[in-house]
């Protein structure tokens, strides 16, 4: 427990600070809701008044409709004017941010670590929200955390909380195994960037529990997510994607565009809410004779896989043949990794001490 809770201050001060941290978190959370929607669309975040109208009836919202957390509760999750249901996600993002701010205050006190925690929480909330929405972690979130990592690395030279190079080792220590997982398709590039940035911030000792918690939660949550997809959707996605890949490649070959003999090329992408997004960056021209028409592939997938949401797709072409097509529901790891990162930031030392204790090492 931290300075303001150790009894040296009258009890009213901690209460005031807790209320302030919760309120600040709720207000910031309300702002992050806007960021989560706008960042992937590359829209400016300034002048964010998109919640000042009801999404259904367009009625101008008053101050009472816009109080973070409380408006949602008092209005019973419905628009005051047209009674349309309001998505609970706004309320959840506000509540999660408020609770994380409060928890950080309680454990870190009024220190520079608290300021870093507030920025870290904001970046993790946006990373998680965008990952849930779009199956990608915006690199701006990782950049913000990297900046925090650089600040703490410089600070460690003066404060000596850990050797400065522990931060650098932290960035590499986790980026390498996560990079390997990403190569096998278990994670996305955004996950690797996020963990490397977090490694720089936390140092190598604390990034280990962060990664451990993230992976365990991800495995549990991932299984639940995978089981929630109706069987017929999975089956349809599998059959259709093979069919489409073969038809598309046959079309390409007709235009004299093909994978060069003895070359292997994989085409990656995702299908999100029935909209496919195949990335051309893996289309190495050294492997191809001519330029494959990726737009055509996207259009064919869009037309057929309308029921599919949040699926990852990869097509492997070897020796001028379609040799492997996978189309499966992807686990969104960002939120789980974020929980791991924040937990390790706040309680990493406690977790390590506990773990070494039960394993009998110390
Ligand atoms: Zn309305």
């Amino acid at each position: 427990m931290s300075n303001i809770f150790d009894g040296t201050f009258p009890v009213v001060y901690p209460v005031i600070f807790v209320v302030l941290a919760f309120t600040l978190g709720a207000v910031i959370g309300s702002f992050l809701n806007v960021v989560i929607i706008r960042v992937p669309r590359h829209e400016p975040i300034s002048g964010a008044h998109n919640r000042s109208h009801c999404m259904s009836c367009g009625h101008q919202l008053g101050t009472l409709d816009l109080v973070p957390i409380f408006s949602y509760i008092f209005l019973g999750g419905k628009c005051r004017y047209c009674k349309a249901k309001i998505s609970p996600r706004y309320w959840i993002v506000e509540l999660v941010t408020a609770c994380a701010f409060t928890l950080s205050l309680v454990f870190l006190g009024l220190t520079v670590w608290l300021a870093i925690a507030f920025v870290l929480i904001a970046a993790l909330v946006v990373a998680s929200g965008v990952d849930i929405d779009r199956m990608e972690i915006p690199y701006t979130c990782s950049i913000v955390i990297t900046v925090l990592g650089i600040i703490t690395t410089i600070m460690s030279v003066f404060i000596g909380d850990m050797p400065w190079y522990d931060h650098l080792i932290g960035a590499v220590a986790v980026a390498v195994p996560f990079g390997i997982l990403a190569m096998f398709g278990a994670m996305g590039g955004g996950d690797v960037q996020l963990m490397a940035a977090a490694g720089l911030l936390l140092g190598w000792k604390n990034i280990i529990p962060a990664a451990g918690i993230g992976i365990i939660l991800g495995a549990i949550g991932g299984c639940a997510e995978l089981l929630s997809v109706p069987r017929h959707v999975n089956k349809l996605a599998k059959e259709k994607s093979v069919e489409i890949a073969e038809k598309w490649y046959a079309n390409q070959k007709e235009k004299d565009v093909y994978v060069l003999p003895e070359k292997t090329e994989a085409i990656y992408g995702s299908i999100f809410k029935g909209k496919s997004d195949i990335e051309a960056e893996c289309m190495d021209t050294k492997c191809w004779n001519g330029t494959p028409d990726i737009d055509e592939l996207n259009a064919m997938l869009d037309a057929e896989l309308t029921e599919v949401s949040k699926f990852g797709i990869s097509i492997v072409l070897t020796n001028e043949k379609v040799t492997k097509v996978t189309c499966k529901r992807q686990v969104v790891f960002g939120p789980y990794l974020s929980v791991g990162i924040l937990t390790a930031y706040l309680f990493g030392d406690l977790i390590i001490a506990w773990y070494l204790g039960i394993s009998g090492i110390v």
Side-chain angles (χ1 to χ4, degrees):
M1 288 284 159
S2 60
N3 43 4
I4 53 167
F5 298 97
D6 60 7
T8 47
F9 288 103
V11 72
V12 65
Y13 285 103
V15 172
I16 290 171
F17 281 120
V18 163
V19 171
L20 281 177
F22 191 87
T23 310
L24 180 69
V27 172
I28 298 280
S30 174
F31 169 71
L32 296 180
N33 271 318
V34 180
V35 178
I36 290 168
I37 295 169
R38 294 203 176 183
V39 161
R41 293 183 194 163
H42 304 287
E43 285 175 18
I45 290 156
S46 55
H49 295 298
N50 74 337
R51 281 192 65 206
S52 52
H53 305 273
C54 166
M55 296 285 201
S56 296
C57 66
H59 198 289
Q60 187 95 28
L61 299 182
T63 320
L64 278 178
D65 304 309
L66 291 166
V67 181
I69 301 175
F70 294 102
S71 289
Y72 185 85
I73 299 173
F74 289 128
L75 298 172
K78 287 184 188 127
C79 168
R80 184 199 303 269
Y81 312 99
C82 69
K83 305 287 171 211
K85 261 185 106 177
I86 303 167
S87 167
R89 64 173 288 163
Y90 298 109
W91 176 74
I92 292 168
V93 167
E94 286 159 3
L95 188 66
V96 164
T97 313
C99 291
F101 271 39
T102 310
L103 196 67
S104 303
L105 170 80
V106 171
F107 280 89
L108 301 170
L110 298 173
T111 57
V112 66
W113 304 110
L114 180 66
I116 292 172
F118 285 176
V119 179
L120 175 66
I121 291 163
L124 293 175
V125 166
V126 173
S128 303
V130 175
D131 202 15
I132 290 168
D133 273 3
R134 316 268 312 186
M135 290 199 343
E136 62 182 31
I137 296 176
Y139 67 87
T140 33
C141 295
S142 301
I143 290 174
V144 169
I145 298 172
T146 304
V147 170
L148 295 178
I150 294 169
I151 293 169
T152 51
T153 305
I154 295 169
M155 272 168 51
S156 64
V157 174
F158 301 100
I159 303 174
D161 60 318
M162 67 173 94
W164 60 270
Y165 48 81
D166 272 20
H167 288 280
L168 300 186
I169 299 171
V172 181
V174 74
V176 172
F178 270 67
I180 293 169
L181 283 175
M183 279 197 294
F184 288 104
M187 299 218 167
D191 299 321
V192 182
Q193 286 169 9
L194 180 71
M195 288 309 280
L200 185 67
L201 172 66
L202 297 172
W204 69 270
K205 284 186 194 129
N206 279 345
I207 194 66
I208 296 170
I213 293 166
I215 289 172
I216 292 168
L217 290 180
I220 298 168
C223 286
E225 261 183 66
L226 294 177
L227 290 173
S228 70
V229 183
R231 221 193 230 144
H232 77 274
V233 173
N234 269 330
K235 198 160 163 268
L236 180 98
K238 241 173 239 161
E239 290 167 2
K240 284 281 178 192
S241 59
V242 174
E243 204 176 287
I244 292 165
E246 280 170 355
K247 201 166 141 200
W248 172 77
Y249 190 57
N251 270 354
Q252 299 300 303
K253 272 178 138 179
E254 264 173 40
K255 295 179 210 158
D256 208 25
V257 176
Y258 54 87
V259 170
L260 296 172
E262 288 172 44
K263 296 279 183 189
T264 298
E265 185 67 347
I267 300 166
Y268 297 105
S270 56
I271 304 174
F272 178 76
K273 290 186 182 162
K275 206 79 195 116
S276 79
D277 179 19
I278 300 295
E279 287 170 23
E281 63 184 302
C282 301
M283 310 290 285
D284 191 335
T285 45
K286 279 185 295 228
C287 285
W288 289 86
N289 175 50
T291 312
D293 190 348
I294 289 298
D295 291 342
E296 187 191 315
L297 178 58
N298 276 319
M300 289 168 82
L301 291 166
D302 285 352
E304 296 276 357
L305 297 177
T306 45
E307 255 190 281
V308 170
S309 178
K310 293 195 178 181
F311 274 59
I313 184 162
S314 91
I315 300 166
V316 183
L317 303 156
T318 321
N319 287 332
E320 299 187 47
K321 277 200 189 81
V322 177
T323 45
K324 195 180 167 204
V325 180
T326 50
C327 183
K328 58 181 182 192
R329 174 91 184 198
Q330 258 180 359
V331 175
V332 172
F333 257 105
Y336 305 112
L337 296 176
S338 296
V339 171
I341 293 166
L342 185 64
T343 309
Y345 181 80
L346 295 178
F347 316 112
D349 296 339
L350 290 175
I351 296 168
I352 292 168
W354 166 79
Y355 184 76
L356 294 180
I358 58 161
S359 58
I361 297 170
V362 185

